[in-house]
Amino acid sequence: MKVLFLGGAGMIGSACADEAVASGLDVTVVTRTDPKRQPPPGVRALRADVRDAEQLRKALGDEEFDAVVNWVGFTPDDVRSHPAVFGGRTGQYVFVSTCSVFARPVPQLPVTESTPRRQPVFGYPRGKIACEVFLEDAFRDNGFPLTIVRPAHVYDRTVVPVLAGWTAIDRMRAGRPVVVHGDGTSLWTLMHSRDFARAFVPLLGNGHAVGESVNVVSGDILTWDQIHLQLAAAAGVREPVLRHRSSETIAEVLPGWRDVLEHDFRHSMFFDTGKLRSLVPGFAPAVSFAEGARELVAHHDKEPRLRAVDEDLNSAFDRLIEQTDTRPK
């Protein structure tokens, strides 16, 4: 099976390229510049701006593909030419969106593929919704063979999946308190990139997925306190100190966190995985967060460049810890 990745040199795309090659797929990756993460042996690499129709046509010639995956569509302008470029040369066009498109607060849990989409403010999911709607119109009007895939919160050994990043682990190791939004009990879902790849690759070339949207999520449910505690355990910290502050209070001191807290992380999110399991029978996540946390801490400990500590963030946390929560009771 011939598969074309538009982009895909990032964390998730690289994991999927590894899985695709291991599964025997013929993979071509198109990127504008040399990728930071090198694709596995056997992947053909082409250079073109995937948002430029003429560059794509020149790079691809008359080639056809069983599936085309777009990893780098963030606004409708990024995908506007793709129905014309790929409509006659692929049996499936997979748009990688995000579970952040779902309205917050979610009207009913667990989240399913039919949960309402809405995001009036936060730019990243707002752009993804607009891409989804544009491509859905192409499917309805012209039969463009669309599949929408929505990851939730994916991580790997290079990513500490909390907003404070490595700074949080550094503080815990130093015995300094770490700020957690809310009361630490809102529910969240994490998925290791290897598990995402194992769920994603079988969707490629799957005719049952054409015309569908699929939330590719682990189904694992953690509180934000549990996430921090697992990271602490992986870092060898037995009794980390967590301090809770409202999202509003945190945003007053860290305004750059306002949108992601207000419109994403503060809300409980867990998912029904029925559609994914029906399309990929037998799929179950294999990497627990406890295992993933140990892996990422060990990797960071071996890579000094990854252990960057944000002193501005340290100062902001110290200020938040000194003050009381300003949220009205």
Side-chain angles (χ1 to χ4, degrees), residues 9-263:
M11 174 186 63
I12 306 178
S14 296
C16 290
D18 290 342
E19 180 71 17
V21 170
S23 300
L25 277 60
D26 179 351
V27 181
T28 299
V29 176
V30 181
T31 57
R32 187 172 53 184
T33 59
D34 288 337
K36 293 181 180 179
R37 300 190 186 212
Q38 292 300 314
V43 170
R44 179 176 59 150
L46 300 177
R47 294 289 173 268
D49 185 343
V50 303
R51 301 169 179 84
D52 186 310
E54 291 309 310
Q55 286 192 35
L56 274 176
R57 289 191 175 99
K58 184 177 179 180
L60 299 174
D62 295 328
E63 268 195 272
E64 296 184 356
F65 299 89
D66 296 288
V68 173
V69 183
N70 185 0
W71 299 97
V72 289
F74 303 103
T75 71
D77 286 343
D78 295 339
V79 300
R80 202 169 303 281
S81 65
H82 288 185
V85 172
F86 295 109
R89 71 166 81 208
T90 187
Q92 183 189 36
Y93 177 97
V94 180
F95 177 70
V96 180
S97 186
T98 171
C99 285
S100 294
V101 300
F102 295 117
R104 306 298 204 272
V106 177
Q108 182 173 321
L109 291 171
V111 175
T112 71
E113 285 76 9
S114 61
T115 293
R117 296 169 295 176
R118 181 177 183 271
Q119 182 43 257
V121 177
F122 191 11
Y124 171 66
R126 184 177 175 86
K128 288 289 192 180
I129 291 172
C131 290
E132 288 189 13
V133 171
F134 172 79
L135 294 168
E136 287 167 344
D137 286 343
F139 168 74
R140 283 190 293 267
D141 295 344
N142 302 306
F144 186 56
L146 174 67
T147 298
I148 295 171
V149 166
R150 301 191 188 103
H153 194 162
V154 181
Y155 72 100
D156 70 356
R157 64 181 185 169
T158 68
V159 177
V160 181
V162 295
L163 286 176
W166 184 259
T167 301
I169 293 177
D170 184 78
R171 288 180 69 92
M172 289 189 283
R173 280 180 164 172
R176 301 171 70 183
V178 172
V179 174
V180 181
H181 64 275
D183 62 2
T185 63
S186 57
L187 303 176
W188 200 246
T189 296
L190 295 174
M191 189 176 203
H192 196 282
S193 63
R194 291 197 301 273
D195 280 337
F196 180 90
R198 290 175 48 250
F200 177 82
V201 168
L203 294 172
L204 302 180
N206 186 336
H208 294 296
V210 174
E212 297 284 353
S213 61
V214 188
N215 298 335
V216 178
V217 295
S218 69
D220 195 15
I221 302 171
L222 299 161
T223 68
W224 281 103
D225 271 3
Q226 287 174 324
I227 292 169
H228 284 81
L229 292 173
Q230 290 281 17
L231 289 170
V237 181
R238 297 184 63 181
E239 296 183 358
V241 181
L242 305 183
R243 292 287 181 263
H244 301 104
R245 296 292 182 266
S246 71
S247 296
E248 295 89 344
T249 299
I250 294 172
E252 289 172 2
V253 177
L254 290 165
W257 290 14
R258 185 181 304 276
D259 280 352
V260 71
L261 287 177
E262 176 70 21
H263 302 289

